[in-house]
Amino acid sequence: MSAKRTERLLNLVIALLSTRRGFTKHELFEEIELYAEASSPEAREKLFDRDKAFLREQGIPVESYSEDPMFEDNTIQRYRIRQDAYRLPGVRFTPEESAVLGLAARMWDQASLGSAAARALRKLQARGVLPEDAGRIPLQPTIRTNDPHFDEIWQATTTRTPVTFGYRPAGAGEHSLRRVQPWGMGSRFGHWYLAGYDLDRNAERIFRLSRMDGPVRLRPGTYPVPADFDMDASLASLDGVFPPRPAAVDVRPGSGAALRLEALTVTEGSGGRDRLHLRVRDLDALAADTAALGAAAVAVEPAEYVDRVRTALTASLEVQDRPLPAFELQVPAAPGHRQASGAQDHLTRLLDLVPYVLANQGADMAETAAVFGVSKEQLAKDLNLLFVSGPRHYPNGLMDVSFDDDRIYIENADDLSEPVRFGMDEAAALIVGLDTLSALPGIGSSAAVASALEKLAAAAGESGGVGTAVAARLDDSAAAPVLAQLQQAIAGARQLELRYLVPSRDELTDRTVDPRRLFSVDNTWYLEAWCHRAEAMRHFRLDRIHGVRDSGPALTHAPGTDAAFPSSLFTPGPLDSLVVLVLEPSALWVAEAYDAERRADLPDGRTAVELRTAHTDWIPAFIARLGGAAAVASPPELRSATQAWLREAAANYPPA
């Protein structure tokens, strides 16, 4: 959006807020001189209509009404923004509610929703919410949003827009085109699902995002969502769709420690292996775990499970054997500050900036720029624009903006003194975050979560309704039994004895730890704790903890309330090996999860990334787990070793 359009829209908002009676179009054209730059009266009318529609799309309630309602077809229309419809209701939040709101805002790993949550949190600062209050809670969950097509399905769901997409059902090779009216979306079992009305089957259906093939296209039109639709109920129905099923796998003696822990019984298998009998809900996950064991494990039944392991290994080997094009790794350019914002971002920032400064008179320029995610230079431009914005014919109505000494002061800004009501994305980001917290052991039982959610829904008004269409559940069944227990140990400063599985060595170990904090990454929970065996801070996956025993008071102190949660699970070391992987688009999450420092885009659409690792023994199993979505490019000896590892494993599965 050009600076002139931003200025014109800002002046339009200020003008429409300044009067109860409203303005006619002619009066607005006189009041806002930038409309005079239109090439003709017709162009000016179209410009105004576009501006009015844009403001309404951003949730700013531009109201039109007739001067004489009895003769509305023959009278002139007036326009206004009522203060009570524009302003965020005056709810107040306690420090405990502030803490859980800050926690909910930090949960999104998706950039646009994280930005929306941050904007919503800024608006709530005038209502007693301080982002740093969340630091008092030694827990940081994250809502995983890296499933394919998340952005498109989120947009379609929150705007009630029909979509079409290709779909590949579980256990079937056929691909079909689906036409769907999205009703809601939700996360469960580590995957995101779309629930909606399938127009070709005339019934409600649930689709897993990772099984959508090809582009997701938004189509014209809208539709109602049934009043009794409940996304949580749709997610719960997956229990019937994916009931636990029997499965069997043969593993070498001394191997498959994780699978052995889940086995119901163990009998004699073929080739001197032990046959493990299990009941599993997710055959995809079991197939990935089995493929990662390589030649040490052989899937036995059901046939669908065997086929999935065979496919994962043969696809991995095929991709690993494929010749690589030449490429040159580079460090990606730093994103830096946003010097130019989109239409929504810029206007929203200006409207949020006034109440923020009014609530923090004398705010430091650099700190304020950081809060709004822009440079000091861009912030200065924004403040200068605010200084010259206001009624043309009433100069005394202009805002008084001062920032010469790097301290910001704003006066005479009553019309913009209160935060704007939440937009749909802002309301959804916080409401879904709080709703997700409410289902977590420990945190979910807090009265602050329930009261904050109730107040937030009331403040959001109609925009809050979109939050009920989205449900995220961090229901890692393997982590749930110990999550509450670890929270209690952290709160009580207790030392713990852990029975911990190390997959890279395929063994169980005993650890003495002083637990400090809990956090989740990519739908997996981790414990940050001081490990007395390593004499260092370590991260332990909760789904790999298979025994917890209290052993007395902890010996180390908890981190300060201002200590940041780990931004990475990996700490570079001077003796690390450099490994280059080539990733399909579906596996690009690996680059972020493993802190890839350099990367290169390949002509075939894949991406090469460079990782650091203390050892490389785990790499072949990792490649097998990804089932053809990744391959080792270098070092050459690791590439050859991975090919040999995969070839030996695939030999257990001759062509069907």
Side-chain angles (χ1 to χ4, degrees), residues 92-141:
R92 302 291 300 180
F93 294 91
T94 67
E96 292 75 20
E97 293 166 344
S98 173
V100 295
L101 279 165
L103 196 59
R106 296 191 321 203
M107 290 175 68
W108 293 99
D109 70 0
Q110 208 269 357
S112 63
L113 291 175
S115 297
R119 292 198 308 269
L121 213 57
R122 286 201 305 264
K123 292 178 180 181
L124 291 176
Q125 287 194 33
R127 303 291 187 259
V129 172
L130 299 176
E132 56 268 24
D133 283 348
R136 299 189 293 119
I137 302 177
L139 178 141
Q140 179 58 69

Side-chain angles (χ1 to χ4, degrees), residues 395-455:
N396 290 335
L398 293 175
M399 281 178 276
D400 183 6
V401 182
S402 168
F403 57 94
D404 292 338
D405 59 351
D406 266 2
R407 294 286 175 179
I408 312 171
Y409 299 90
I410 295 180
E411 304 289 346
N412 198 29
D414 291 345
D415 289 333
L416 298 182
S417 62
E418 294 289 334
V420 188
R421 278 185 182 267
F422 291 133
M424 285 196 304
D425 57 344
E426 297 168 346
L430 284 188
I431 289 175
V432 174
L434 283 174
D435 185 57
T436 304
L437 284 178
S438 71
L440 285 179
I443 292 292
S445 61
S446 165
V449 175
S451 57
L453 187 55
E454 182 180 355
K455 291 180 181 179

Side-chain angles (χ1 to χ4, degrees), residues 137-220:
I137 302 177
L139 178 141
Q140 179 58 69
T142 303
I143 299 175
R144 173 184 177 272
T145 58
N146 57 8
D147 278 30
H149 313 297
F150 180 91
D151 287 338
E152 299 95 321
I153 298 302
W154 173 274
Q155 182 182 352
T157 302
T158 56
T159 59
R160 296 187 179 179
T161 302
V163 293
T164 61
F165 52 85
Y167 195 69
R168 174 182 47 82
E174 68 269 15
H175 171 282
S176 60
L177 185 68
R178 316 303 280 265
R179 300 185 305 138
V180 177
Q181 294 175 343
W183 290 353
M185 62 185 298
S187 172
R188 198 171 183 206
F189 308 131
H191 302 286
W192 277 92
Y193 296 86
L194 165 67
Y197 189 75
D198 189 318
L199 293 170
D200 296 308
R201 290 154 182 79
N202 297 317
E204 180 183 353
R205 291 289 187 268
I206 299 178
F207 306 91
R208 198 164 102 180
L209 269 60
S210 62
R211 295 197 176 116
M212 293 180 180
D213 286 340
V216 173
R217 303 188 188 280
L218 278 65
R219 299 301 187 188

Side-chain angles (χ1 to χ4, degrees), residues 277-427:
H277 300 270
L278 310 101
R279 288 189 66 81
V280 296
R281 187 185 299 276
D282 190 342
L283 280 182
D284 285 341
L286 178 61
D289 290 342
T290 306
L293 288 171
V298 182
V300 176
E301 58 181 5
E304 182 182 348
Y305 161 47
V306 177
D307 287 342
R308 293 186 192 187
V309 180
R310 176 188 292 111
T311 299
L313 290 171
T314 55
S316 297
L317 182 58
E318 178 185 344
V319 172
Q320 188 63 55
D321 285 342
R322 187 187 307 169
L324 290 171
F327 59 85
E328 183 178 352
L329 295 167
Q330 295 181 339
V331 177
H337 293 294
R338 296 179 300 168
Q339 297 300 322
S341 299
Q344 179 182 359
D345 282 349
H346 199 185
L347 182 64
T348 298
R349 186 171 72 242
L350 290 168
L351 295 177
D352 288 351
L353 186 55
V354 176
Y356 176 84
V357 174
L358 289 174
N360 300 274
Q361 290 283 17
D364 179 77
M365 282 283 289
E367 292 177 0
T368 304
V371 166
F372 284 86
V374 295
S375 65
K376 280 184 63 177
E377 292 74 18
Q378 180 61 50
L379 179 60
K381 292 178 182 178
D382 289 348
L383 293 169
N384 279 322
L385 181 55
L386 289 172
F387 181 68
V388 299
S389 299
R392 176 184 181 187
H393 298 300
Y394 304 95
N396 290 335
L398 293 175
M399 281 178 276
D400 183 6
V401 182
S402 168
F403 57 94
D404 292 338
D405 59 351
D406 266 2
R407 294 286 175 179
I408 312 171
Y409 299 90
I410 295 180
E411 304 289 346
N412 198 29
D414 291 345
D415 289 333
L416 298 182
S417 62
E418 294 289 334
V420 188
R421 278 185 182 267
F422 291 133
M424 285 196 304
D425 57 344
E426 297 168 346

Side-chain angles (χ1 to χ4, degrees), residues 56-60 88 123 158 421-429 431 456-469:
R56 286 172 174 165
E57 288 172 2
Q58 308 315 310
I60 298 174
L88 189 68
K123 292 178 180 181
T158 56
R421 278 185 182 267
F422 291 133
M424 285 196 304
D425 57 344
E426 297 168 346
I431 289 175
L456 188 65
E462 291 184 5
S463 294
V466 71
T468 61

Side-chain angles (χ1 to χ4, degrees), residues 452-515:
L453 187 55
E454 182 180 355
K455 291 180 181 179
L456 188 65
E462 291 184 5
S463 294
V466 71
T468 61
V470 183
R473 293 291 173 259
L474 302 177
D475 57 356
D476 185 336
S477 58
V482 296
L483 186 58
Q485 187 176 2
L486 292 175
Q487 288 186 63
Q488 293 173 358
I490 292 169
R494 306 297 295 176
Q495 186 176 97
L496 299 175
E497 300 287 343
L498 304 182
R499 187 76 167 148
Y500 190 70
L501 173 68
V502 184
S504 61
R505 298 198 300 270
D506 200 12
E507 66 176 0
L508 282 168
T509 62
D510 295 313
R511 307 292 183 94
T512 301
V513 303
D514 295 340

